Amino acid sequence: YKEIIKSYSKGELDLFAEMLASLVIELEKGEIDVLGDLMMRMGFGADSLGQYFTPNHISSLVAKLSITPDLTEKQIKEHGTIRLTEPSVGGGSLVLSVINKLKELGYNYQQVLEVVCGDIDISALHMTYIQLSLLGVKAKVQHTNALSFEIWSDWYTPACILDGGLI
């Protein structure tokens, strides 16, 4: 870390701190894919990969249809947690919508949700890792190709490491 920050001016380092603080503030307003939404609005999606980040309203609809009170209660009683697997996570929109739905149902997502997610795009993975880490989600975030099953790296969020980690 200290080697990397040597290449930045004090003003640039202050800007990084301001950006991180702004992200935290936006995430506290409601768990939406702040970074994925920003990336698409700025036109930074990789069209050559067919990369389009799922709009938050679509992810919200999927979460509302998938996370029902009965199913959620059954999963938690049988397994103690809800395991969400998202092979093409992008910036994390679906995971963040599931968090909102669990909160709406009265659950503490930091206690009942475990996430295994991945993406082929390392930039998208960085966005997901940052957002899930800041929200205290137990997650294994993989740099992977969901079609060939190649896995290049596994990243565990701090909440996952402190809780003993996922398999």
Side-chain angles (χ1 to χ4, degrees):
Y1 168 77
K2 289 185 178 184
E3 281 300 312
I4 292 170
I5 66 168
K6 286 180 185 177
S7 64
Y8 294 100
S9 70
K10 177 167 177 7
E12 289 169 324
L13 292 173
D14 289 344
L15 186 57
F16 286 140
E18 287 178 40
M19 288 187 296
L20 183 59
S22 294
L23 176 58
V24 169
I25 290 167
E26 288 303 310
L27 286 171
E28 286 179 351
K29 289 179 182 177
E31 287 74 17
I32 63 165
D33 181 9
V34 176
L35 296 177
D37 186 48
L38 179 64
M39 189 170 182
M40 288 308 293
R41 281 198 271 153
M42 294 177 72
F44 292 149
D47 289 337
S48 62
L49 295 175
Q51 182 182 49
Y52 301 96
F53 290 82
T54 306
N56 291 312
H57 68 280
I58 301 295
S59 293
S60 180
L61 175 63
V62 171
K64 286 178 182 177
L65 294 173
S66 304
I67 307 297
T68 63
D70 293 341
L71 178 63
T72 302
E73 187 66 29
K74 181 180 177 191
Q75 279 292 116
I76 293 171
K77 280 184 181 177
E78 289 179 13
H79 306 286
T81 62
I82 296 168
R83 171 82 51 103
L84 173 64
T85 303
E86 170 59 297
S88 296
V89 73
S93 182
L94 180 60
V95 178
L96 298 170
S97 291
V98 166
I99 287 170
N100 282 337
K101 185 62 181 174
L102 289 171
K103 287 171 57 177
E104 183 182 303
L105 293 173
Y107 292 99
N108 180 339
Y109 66 89
Q110 294 171 330
Q111 295 175 346
V112 300
L113 181 65
E114 293 182 343
V115 177
V116 177
C117 59
D119 207 283
I120 196 167
D121 179 0
I122 195 71
S123 294
L125 215 58
H126 290 157
M127 293 186 305
T128 297
Y129 183 81
I130 289 168
Q131 293 183 125
L132 296 184
S133 292
L134 289 172
L135 290 168
V137 176
K138 291 180 270 189
K140 176 167 65 171
V141 181
Q142 299 180 308
H143 186 207
T144 184
N145 182 329
L147 299 177
S148 69
F149 302 108
E150 291 175 87
I151 299 173
W152 300 291
S153 61
D154 290 332
W155 303 358
Y156 294 87
T157 59
C160 187
I161 293 168
L162 292 171
D163 193 52
L166 298 171
I167 297 172

